[in-house]
Amino acid sequence: MGDEPKCRCGYDKHHPMVSAEPKYDAKGWFWLIMGATPDPVRVVFKCRRCDQVIDESDDPEELKRA
Ligand SMILES: [Zn+2]
């Protein structure tokens, strides 16, 4: 443990400067265009300071954060 991936600023995915960006498949994009809010298929954790992608996940628990 203690082996969480970090960006070059030293932030892990739980840091406030790191945002969880939802990613959608084609069906999800269709619903987005229709104005609905689909469930993302995966979530990408990205640092807002250095723009580095720290981690990504398709864990349903993580998707709830997106
Ligand atoms: Zn960073």
Side-chain angles (χ1 to χ4, degrees), residues 7-11 47-52:
C7 71
R8 67 185 71 122
C9 326
Y11 303 154
C47 176
R48 291 201 294 273
R49 190 170 147 196
C50 68
D51 235 27
Q52 189 177 332

Side-chain angles (χ1 to χ4, degrees), residues 1-43:
M1 300 307 279
D3 213 22
E4 285 274 314
K6 290 185 169 95
C7 71
R8 67 185 71 122
C9 326
Y11 303 154
D12 67 19
K13 65 185 177 184
H14 304 293
H15 192 280
M17 277 305 286
V18 175
S19 51
E21 290 184 4
K23 297 288 170 190
Y24 301 101
D25 59 8
K27 198 174 82 187
W29 278 112
F30 172 78
W31 285 113
L32 277 180
I33 291 161
M34 298 300 282
T37 311
D39 293 326
V41 286
R42 58 198 302 114
V43 57

